[in-house]
Amino acid sequence: MKFKKIVALSSALLVASMSLVGCSNKTNNEQSDNKKIKVGMVADVGGINDESFNQSAWEGLQQAEKELGIEAKVIESRQASEYLGNIETLADQGMDLIIGVGFTMVEDIKTQAANYPDISFAIVDETYEEIPSNVTPIVFRANEAAYLTGLIAGKMTKTNEVGFIGGMDNPVVNQFEYGYKAGVVAANDKANVKAQYAGTFGDAAKGKSIANQMYANNIDTILSAAGGTGIGAIESAKEQNKYAIGVDRDQSDLAPENILTSALKKVNVGVYETVKAFIEGEEIGGKERVYGLKEDGVGIPESTKNLVPQDIIDYVNEMAEKVKNGEIKVPATKDEYEAMNK
């Protein structure tokens, strides 16, 4: 790997020296007539067909390829141990920007950003206390989207028992849990929320098993923030004729009669806009790009109107405006949630 980097650096210096004759005023990131910007993406173990987080990220990169003229490439990871090598593969293939999808890649992106200082990197859904100068964290206020779905669940439940299934128990998924709980309680102070973590984002059978148990215990609505694991919970909702709430992208097509709404985390928007900023020469490294309700980076889909009455949608829209203007601060952690409900 070191030999490759030395050769690459030497070649880069040679090209740079040769290009001093007749140089242009274009920024380093702008596309010339004979070179496309190359953007690579490493998907986590959920894969780009997970109907959720990874798929949304890949859709954003595909949009960038279609509309902005970049060359896009994706590598799907079978296990977490492959992340570091997959990032290195893209780096050695001459990518200009490499995007890691998911917080589980945060340290691997940081490592390779140090190994390849002349390449730009982005990490979706995680950040750093000290952000490397060539890394752009793309982060979302997922708690705000989950809050809106919680308002709907609180209004729509018939049993006053609702559920939450998380993939991994970590701060990113906790945002969904506590935002959702806050919404449920705000809409219905008689409702209870049962939360359980599956310990995985890629086991639909486990998600279905947990959901089956929840539905059997009088829970009638479940939000799953669990990637591919959540697909199993949606399947359970179809079989049990209960309600489910989708995540990351509009998942209503998976169960049109059962999915009330979805907690949208518009990863596609974050990826597309980051790529666009990069090719336009914006200095994006070393700082976060944050997407919440105010930035239209999270929310609920239009399909919500298919199963949710208009008066409830009006109520949710009213509460969303209060979040946007700062009147309501949605909790993202257990401590924030408990402080709100003292």
PDB file of all heavy atoms in Angstrom, residues 27-44:
ATOM      1  N   THR A  27     -11.212  25.416 -10.275  1.00  0.00           N
ATOM      2  CA  THR A  27     -10.889  24.855  -8.971  1.00  0.00           C
ATOM      3  C   THR A  27     -10.486  23.405  -9.148  1.00  0.00           C
ATOM      4  O   THR A  27     -10.754  22.780 -10.164  1.00  0.00           O
ATOM      5  CB  THR A  27     -12.115  24.909  -8.027  1.00  0.00           C
ATOM      6  OG1 THR A  27     -13.098  24.034  -8.538  1.00  0.00           O
ATOM      7  CG2 THR A  27     -12.680  26.315  -7.928  1.00  0.00           C
ATOM      8  N   ASN A  28      -9.863  22.858  -8.116  1.00  0.00           N
ATOM      9  CA  ASN A  28      -9.382  21.476  -8.192  1.00  0.00           C
ATOM     10  C   ASN A  28     -10.509  20.486  -8.389  1.00  0.00           C
ATOM     11  O   ASN A  28     -10.305  19.383  -8.898  1.00  0.00           O
ATOM     12  CB  ASN A  28      -8.603  21.120  -6.922  1.00  0.00           C
ATOM     13  CG  ASN A  28      -7.288  21.867  -6.833  1.00  0.00           C
ATOM     14  OD1 ASN A  28      -6.738  22.270  -7.855  1.00  0.00           O
ATOM     15  ND2 ASN A  28      -6.796  22.071  -5.612  1.00  0.00           N
ATOM     16  N   ASN A  29     -11.706  20.836  -7.954  1.00  0.00           N
ATOM     17  CA  ASN A  29     -12.801  19.871  -7.979  1.00  0.00           C
ATOM     18  C   ASN A  29     -13.646  19.956  -9.240  1.00  0.00           C
ATOM     19  O   ASN A  29     -14.495  19.116  -9.468  1.00  0.00           O
ATOM     20  CB  ASN A  29     -13.720  20.091  -6.767  1.00  0.00           C
ATOM     21  CG  ASN A  29     -12.990  19.807  -5.472  1.00  0.00           C
ATOM     22  OD1 ASN A  29     -11.967  19.146  -5.468  1.00  0.00           O
ATOM     23  ND2 ASN A  29     -13.520  20.326  -4.377  1.00  0.00           N
ATOM     24  N   GLU A  30     -13.456  20.988 -10.060  1.00  0.00           N
ATOM     25  CA  GLU A  30     -14.290  21.135 -11.247  1.00  0.00           C
ATOM     26  C   GLU A  30     -13.919  20.106 -12.304  1.00  0.00           C
ATOM     27  O   GLU A  30     -12.760  19.739 -12.471  1.00  0.00           O
ATOM     28  CB  GLU A  30     -14.145  22.541 -11.830  1.00  0.00           C
ATOM     29  CG  GLU A  30     -14.857  23.607 -11.011  1.00  0.00           C
ATOM     30  CD  GLU A  30     -14.801  24.953 -11.699  1.00  0.00           C
ATOM     31  OE1 GLU A  30     -13.694  25.460 -11.923  1.00  0.00           O
ATOM     32  OE2 GLU A  30     -15.875  25.467 -12.024  1.00  0.00           O
ATOM     33  N   GLN A  31     -14.932  19.627 -13.029  1.00  0.00           N
ATOM     34  CA  GLN A  31     -14.700  18.651 -14.081  1.00  0.00           C
ATOM     35  C   GLN A  31     -14.192  19.339 -15.345  1.00  0.00           C
ATOM     36  O   GLN A  31     -14.727  20.355 -15.754  1.00  0.00           O
ATOM     37  CB  GLN A  31     -15.989  17.891 -14.395  1.00  0.00           C
ATOM     38  CG  GLN A  31     -16.558  17.146 -13.201  1.00  0.00           C
ATOM     39  CD  GLN A  31     -17.772  16.358 -13.579  1.00  0.00           C
ATOM     40  OE1 GLN A  31     -17.712  15.494 -14.426  1.00  0.00           O
ATOM     41  NE2 GLN A  31     -18.874  16.647 -12.937  1.00  0.00           N
ATOM     42  N   SER A  32     -13.164  18.767 -15.948  1.00  0.00           N
ATOM     43  CA  SER A  32     -12.679  19.254 -17.229  1.00  0.00           C
ATOM     44  C   SER A  32     -13.333  18.431 -18.327  1.00  0.00           C
ATOM     45  O   SER A  32     -14.097  17.505 -18.064  1.00  0.00           O
ATOM     46  CB  SER A  32     -11.153  19.108 -17.297  1.00  0.00           C
ATOM     47  OG  SER A  32     -10.790  17.745 -17.256  1.00  0.00           O
ATOM     48  N   ASP A  33     -13.013  18.783 -19.585  1.00  0.00           N
ATOM     49  CA  ASP A  33     -13.635  18.100 -20.707  1.00  0.00           C
ATOM     50  C   ASP A  33     -13.230  16.630 -20.790  1.00  0.00           C
ATOM     51  O   ASP A  33     -13.962  15.812 -21.319  1.00  0.00           O
ATOM     52  CB  ASP A  33     -13.267  18.803 -22.013  1.00  0.00           C
ATOM     53  CG  ASP A  33     -13.910  20.184 -22.103  1.00  0.00           C
ATOM     54  OD1 ASP A  33     -14.929  20.386 -21.421  1.00  0.00           O
ATOM     55  OD2 ASP A  33     -13.387  21.036 -22.844  1.00  0.00           O
ATOM     56  N   ASN A  34     -12.032  16.304 -20.279  1.00  0.00           N
ATOM     57  CA  ASN A  34     -11.546  14.939 -20.460  1.00  0.00           C
ATOM     58  C   ASN A  34     -11.403  14.158 -19.163  1.00  0.00           C
ATOM     59  O   ASN A  34     -10.810  13.105 -19.140  1.00  0.00           O
ATOM     60  CB  ASN A  34     -10.203  14.942 -21.205  1.00  0.00           C
ATOM     61  CG  ASN A  34      -9.160  15.808 -20.496  1.00  0.00           C
ATOM     62  OD1 ASN A  34      -9.387  16.244 -19.376  1.00  0.00           O
ATOM     63  ND2 ASN A  34      -8.048  16.059 -21.167  1.00  0.00           N
ATOM     64  N   LYS A  35     -11.917  14.674 -18.056  1.00  0.00           N
ATOM     65  CA  LYS A  35     -11.823  13.948 -16.793  1.00  0.00           C
ATOM     66  C   LYS A  35     -13.097  14.108 -15.974  1.00  0.00           C
ATOM     67  O   LYS A  35     -13.499  15.212 -15.648  1.00  0.00           O
ATOM     68  CB  LYS A  35     -10.637  14.440 -15.961  1.00  0.00           C
ATOM     69  CG  LYS A  35     -10.474  13.688 -14.639  1.00  0.00           C
ATOM     70  CD  LYS A  35      -9.360  14.275 -13.807  1.00  0.00           C
ATOM     71  CE  LYS A  35      -9.174  13.501 -12.496  1.00  0.00           C
ATOM     72  NZ  LYS A  35     -10.362  13.549 -11.641  1.00  0.00           N
ATOM     73  N   LYS A  36     -13.718  13.001 -15.681  1.00  0.00           N
ATOM     74  CA  LYS A  36     -14.888  13.035 -14.816  1.00  0.00           C
ATOM     75  C   LYS A  36     -14.454  12.904 -13.363  1.00  0.00           C
ATOM     76  O   LYS A  36     -13.516  12.191 -13.042  1.00  0.00           O
ATOM     77  CB  LYS A  36     -15.826  11.863 -15.147  1.00  0.00           C
ATOM     78  CG  LYS A  36     -16.688  12.062 -16.368  1.00  0.00           C
ATOM     79  CD  LYS A  36     -17.718  10.957 -16.463  1.00  0.00           C
ATOM     80  CE  LYS A  36     -18.699  11.218 -17.602  1.00  0.00           C
ATOM     81  NZ  LYS A  36     -19.769  10.197 -17.640  1.00  0.00           N
ATOM     82  N   ILE A  37     -15.171  13.606 -12.496  1.00  0.00           N
ATOM     83  CA  ILE A  37     -14.971  13.420 -11.066  1.00  0.00           C
ATOM     84  C   ILE A  37     -15.453  12.020 -10.699  1.00  0.00           C
ATOM     85  O   ILE A  37     -16.554  11.608 -11.086  1.00  0.00           O
ATOM     86  CB  ILE A  37     -15.748  14.478 -10.264  1.00  0.00           C
ATOM     87  CG1 ILE A  37     -15.215  15.880 -10.574  1.00  0.00           C
ATOM     88  CG2 ILE A  37     -15.668  14.195  -8.776  1.00  0.00           C
ATOM     89  CD1 ILE A  37     -13.804  16.135 -10.129  1.00  0.00           C
ATOM     90  N   LYS A  38     -14.636  11.294  -9.966  1.00  0.00           N
ATOM     91  CA  LYS A  38     -14.985   9.942  -9.557  1.00  0.00           C
ATOM     92  C   LYS A  38     -15.390   9.934  -8.082  1.00  0.00           C
ATOM     93  O   LYS A  38     -14.638  10.399  -7.227  1.00  0.00           O
ATOM     94  CB  LYS A  38     -13.802   8.993  -9.761  1.00  0.00           C
ATOM     95  CG  LYS A  38     -13.394   8.801 -11.217  1.00  0.00           C
ATOM     96  CD  LYS A  38     -12.233   7.813 -11.318  1.00  0.00           C
ATOM     97  CE  LYS A  38     -11.827   7.578 -12.768  1.00  0.00           C
ATOM     98  NZ  LYS A  38     -10.709   6.607 -12.863  1.00  0.00           N
ATOM     99  N   VAL A  39     -16.583   9.415  -7.825  1.00  0.00           N
ATOM    100  CA  VAL A  39     -17.086   9.336  -6.456  1.00  0.00           C
ATOM    101  C   VAL A  39     -17.411   7.886  -6.134  1.00  0.00           C
ATOM    102  O   VAL A  39     -18.207   7.248  -6.834  1.00  0.00           O
ATOM    103  CB  VAL A  39     -18.339  10.218  -6.246  1.00  0.00           C
ATOM    104  CG1 VAL A  39     -18.795  10.152  -4.786  1.00  0.00           C
ATOM    105  CG2 VAL A  39     -18.056  11.661  -6.646  1.00  0.00           C
ATOM    106  N   GLY A  40     -16.787   7.371  -5.092  1.00  0.00           N
ATOM    107  CA  GLY A  40     -17.031   6.000  -4.671  1.00  0.00           C
ATOM    108  C   GLY A  40     -17.807   5.942  -3.372  1.00  0.00           C
ATOM    109  O   GLY A  40     -17.741   6.862  -2.550  1.00  0.00           O
ATOM    110  N   MET A  41     -18.565   4.877  -3.204  1.00  0.00           N
ATOM    111  CA  MET A  41     -19.352   4.683  -1.987  1.00  0.00           C
ATOM    112  C   MET A  41     -19.127   3.281  -1.454  1.00  0.00           C
ATOM    113  O   MET A  41     -19.126   2.314  -2.218  1.00  0.00           O
ATOM    114  CB  MET A  41     -20.846   4.903  -2.282  1.00  0.00           C
ATOM    115  CG  MET A  41     -21.781   4.590  -1.133  1.00  0.00           C
ATOM    116  SD  MET A  41     -23.516   4.939  -1.554  1.00  0.00           S
ATOM    117  CE  MET A  41     -23.490   6.734  -1.575  1.00  0.00           C
ATOM    118  N   VAL A  42     -18.922   3.176  -0.146  1.00  0.00           N
ATOM    119  CA  VAL A  42     -18.863   1.878   0.514  1.00  0.00           C
ATOM    120  C   VAL A  42     -20.146   1.719   1.318  1.00  0.00           C
ATOM    121  O   VAL A  42     -20.412   2.486   2.250  1.00  0.00           O
ATOM    122  CB  VAL A  42     -17.640   1.759   1.440  1.00  0.00           C
ATOM    123  CG1 VAL A  42     -17.656   0.410   2.161  1.00  0.00           C
ATOM    124  CG2 VAL A  42     -16.349   1.902   0.643  1.00  0.00           C
ATOM    125  N   ALA A  43     -20.978   0.753   0.926  1.00  0.00           N
ATOM    126  CA  ALA A  43     -22.219   0.466   1.658  1.00  0.00           C
ATOM    127  C   ALA A  43     -21.912  -0.455   2.826  1.00  0.00           C
ATOM    128  O   ALA A  43     -20.982  -1.264   2.764  1.00  0.00           O
ATOM    129  CB  ALA A  43     -23.234  -0.185   0.732  1.00  0.00           C
ATOM    130  N   ASP A  44     -22.683  -0.328   3.883  1.00  0.00           N
ATOM    131  CA  ASP A  44     -22.461  -1.238   5.003  1.00  0.00           C
ATOM    132  C   ASP A  44     -23.122  -2.579   4.732  1.00  0.00           C
ATOM    133  O   ASP A  44     -23.570  -2.853   3.615  1.00  0.00           O
ATOM    134  CB  ASP A  44     -22.901  -0.604   6.335  1.00  0.00           C
ATOM    135  CG  ASP A  44     -24.409  -0.507   6.517  1.00  0.00           C
ATOM    136  OD1 ASP A  44     -25.163  -1.161   5.765  1.00  0.00           O
ATOM    137  OD2 ASP A  44     -24.852   0.210   7.433  1.00  0.00           O
TER     138      ASP A  44
END
